[in-house]
Amino acid sequence: MSGARLGLTVTHRRYVPYAHAHYAGNLVDGAYVLGLFGDVATEVCIRTDGDEGLFASYSDVQFVSSVRAGDVVEVTATVVRVGTRSRGIDFVARVVCRGRPERGASAAEVLAEPVVAVTATGTVVVAAAA
């Protein structure tokens, strides 16, 4: 039986290692955050349906601000639609800490206000209830 409910929210935090820098200025490619959205969506599906689910599609993705190596990114998924086997999920990735290599090799800071980096809306599908 599905335990899916509107408004369920799951949050993950992840340090972005320098090995993931892809562009000048230690920028990380957008696919990195989409992978994090997949991870948090998996936990949503496990919590609601006891199934890892499958990511079916994104209906919208907005790259609002950069993600850099050395950042700590907070990724949140919120269930906004519950179908028989599909779940609509809104995603947001916020940078909550940022590396400051210009201040020193290991310098970093907690941001006073998190910076929204990526938003998205997606659909996942779970196995039929047994």
Side-chain angles (χ1 to χ4, degrees):
M1 187 75 178
S2 171
R5 62 188 184 280
L6 290 175
L8 172 73
T9 299
V10 174
T11 300
H12 291 183
R13 280 194 177 177
R14 178 89 44 89
Y15 173 77
V16 181
Y18 281 84
H20 287 281
H22 193 73
Y23 299 104
N26 290 320
L27 293 177
V28 174
D29 64 9
Y32 181 83
V33 174
L34 297 182
L36 298 179
F37 287 166
D39 291 345
V40 75
T42 298
E43 184 178 343
V44 166
C45 293
I46 291 168
R47 290 185 175 280
T48 61
D49 295 276
D51 184 87
E52 290 186 358
L54 295 171
F55 216 113
S57 67
Y58 285 107
S59 58
D60 184 51
V61 177
Q62 298 292 317
F63 297 100
V64 181
S65 184
S66 63
V67 174
R68 296 185 179 110
D71 288 350
V72 174
V73 179
E74 179 181 84
V75 180
T76 301
T78 303
V79 177
V80 296
R81 184 184 53 75
V82 176
T84 305
R85 291 187 50 219
S86 66
R87 314 287 177 245
I89 302 176
D90 281 348
F91 299 93
V92 62
R94 293 177 181 90
V95 176
V96 296
C97 301
R98 177 143 279 169
R100 295 295 186 201
E102 70 278 4
R103 295 185 193 161
S106 60
E109 68 183 356
V110 176
L111 299 180
E113 290 293 324
V115 175
V116 173
V118 184
T119 62
T121 300
T123 300
V124 295
V125 178
V126 295

